[in-house]
Amino acid sequence: METKESRRIPNWIVRILILLAVVGALALRLPRLDLRPLHGDEANQGIKTSILLEEGKYTYDPIDHHGPTLYYLALPLAWARGQFDRQSLTETTLRLEPVLAGTCLVALVFLLRGALGTWATLWAALFTAVSPALVFYSRFYIQETLLVLFTFTTLAAVWRYTRSHAARWLIVAGASAGLMHATKETCVLAFASMAGAAVLTFTWVRLRDGRFLSLRPHLRPLPIAAAVAAAIVLSVVFYSSFFTNGRGVLDSILTYANYAHKADGSHIHDKPWYYYLRLLILTHNGAGPWWSEALIVGLAGCGAVFGLCQKNGNRLIQFLAFYTLLLTAAYSIIAYKTPWCAINFLQPMALLAGFGAVNLIVAVRPLIPTGVTIALLLAGVCHLGLQTYRANFEYFADPRNPYVYAHTSTALVKMTDRVEDIAKISPEGRGLFIRVIAPDGDYWPLPWYLRRFSKVGYWPNIPEDCDAALIIAPSTLYPQIAPHLRDEYQTQTYTLRPGVFRLLFVRKDLWDEFMKTRV
């Protein structure tokens, strides 16, 4: 909605506000990226990235991993920071990629300024910049923020094309759609929601305004063909590992059989349908603070209602209202849930919230002075900012933080520090033998934290000859391991994740040498 007030804002002021929003987003996302230990999923992705970085090898795994863009797009950042192997690659470098993607999400909101209006765009950018969930997962080395970025770029580019009919926007949309597919398999939920939202928007306009919207003016064969080609080429390039693994392209389709199995409601990640809404609206775990993004969710609801109820209303807002509703429903219906998936529909909620904020200010103006409403909204934004600070710099690995999910304990970092201490006094240095016993395969993120050691082995069962310079094993296995040890060991207990403990066995001669350094 382009109000009289927004039309009076000089462009140079708008540009400054845009810059401030982007800088603010970066300032919240960038500091202390190595503060939080790597989640098991991040570590797994980090190892795959390190192999690609060091050996140039990548093969798409349709069973346990997502698309390849995360790994390939990390390479330029690693090269720019002078990191060319797994020993030098750092957590900060890995997380820079989602940081940049999350910051771009804020900047690209301004592509929709012509549809949302200047003030709504600024509010939307502000909500996107400070949202605790959007910031938290912009500092998390997984595919989700990339997927959200490419999805939004697709939507924004299509909208720009419908306004200008410039072929370049449709090509951008096609390329972004291809990158969505090359990022994560759940892109199909966004594609289906887009199609459903388009049908519902056309139907709504027909019923509400008595108008018939037609796609015919936008159906131009050459730009559409170019967009489809861009999508296919990018998807094929990434899934084929740059034309070295043709099977990867086929697997990118066959993988959906695996995902259908994951969604059948029989997995440890299964949760009730209202999980995401409760996560965003109000969460309180133990003695920690209350967490809520209800301001964004509530204003998004306002924006949707205003957009749908206004005569000849904003078509983009109407589309976003249906799209967000369908996407939220799709993720809620699927039993398999992880908290980072929520940002897929939280980001369009932030757009709707910007529109809702402006319309709310106008609607309540007869009762509440504009300055008071704006002050209340800004207070809400400050509360979001406070939660963002707590989530990322105080409760960054604390299970009382609702966005922390089966996260690695900070104690594990202390254990790997102790392993480094032992290596310093060992004659073999980082070549000492480390045996990791994990009957259930639950050893991540250890491969990342032990990546600088040359002799690390992983065993699914307790071997007959169990001795090693260092042994890492579940604490519950101590009675079974002890009979298999000939050497003497000093043991220490560390937390892998909340409720999951690991014993570090240090061979007695190494422990005694280490203790001499403590005197």
Side-chain angles (χ1 to χ4, degrees), residues 462 476-484:
I462 302 172
T476 52
L477 287 185
Y478 181 82
Q480 290 92 329
I481 291 175
H484 295 268

Side-chain angles (χ1 to χ4, degrees), residues 284-306:
H284 184 226
N285 296 323
W290 293 81
W291 306 83
S292 174
E293 301 205 40
L295 177 67
I296 294 176
V297 178
L299 286 174
C302 289
V305 170
F306 281 122

Side-chain angles (χ1 to χ4, degrees), residues 201-214 308 310-313 315 318:
T201 303
F202 278 49
T203 305
W204 181 262
V205 171
R206 180 66 176 166
L207 295 175
R208 175 71 177 84
D209 301 331
R211 295 183 58 189
F212 180 76
L213 297 179
S214 175
L308 292 172
Q310 290 168 348
K311 186 72 175 176
N312 295 316
R315 305 300 180 219
Q318 291 170 347

